[in-house]
Amino acid sequence: ELAHKKAEHFIQETEIMRLAHQEADSTMNQVRAEVEEQKYGADKYSEEVLASLEARVTQALATVQNGRKNLAQSIESNKNLVV
């Protein structure tokens, strides 16, 4: 009788441990999925910010290049006026 009760108790503990491991695995899988989703969102946001920055820098570079071109033309056309 005592051995039977001990065996039954051991079986119950084993089942509890199995269920706990199963729940832990499920939770870990859910956490991994959430982390991947957050990483994707962060990467996508970073790409958008960098693309916007690239566009602004490209526009600023074009403005600088046009300004230098205009100045070079002005210098060239006025170099004969300098005494």
Side-chain angles (χ1 to χ4, degrees), residues 30-48:
Q30 183 179 356
V31 168
R32 284 186 188 106
E34 288 173 8
V35 166
E36 286 300 314
E37 186 177 333
Q38 288 178 358
K39 183 181 180 307
Y40 172 80
D43 287 348
K44 186 175 178 183
Y45 173 75
S46 296
E47 169 57 27
E48 291 169 0

Side-chain angles (χ1 to χ4, degrees), residues 5 11 15 20-21 45 47 51 56 60-61 67 70-72 77 82:
K5 284 185 179 182
I11 290 171
E15 180 64 13
H21 282 286
Y45 173 75
E47 169 57 27
R56 289 192 306 249
L61 179 60
N70 290 339
L71 282 172
S77 65
V82 177

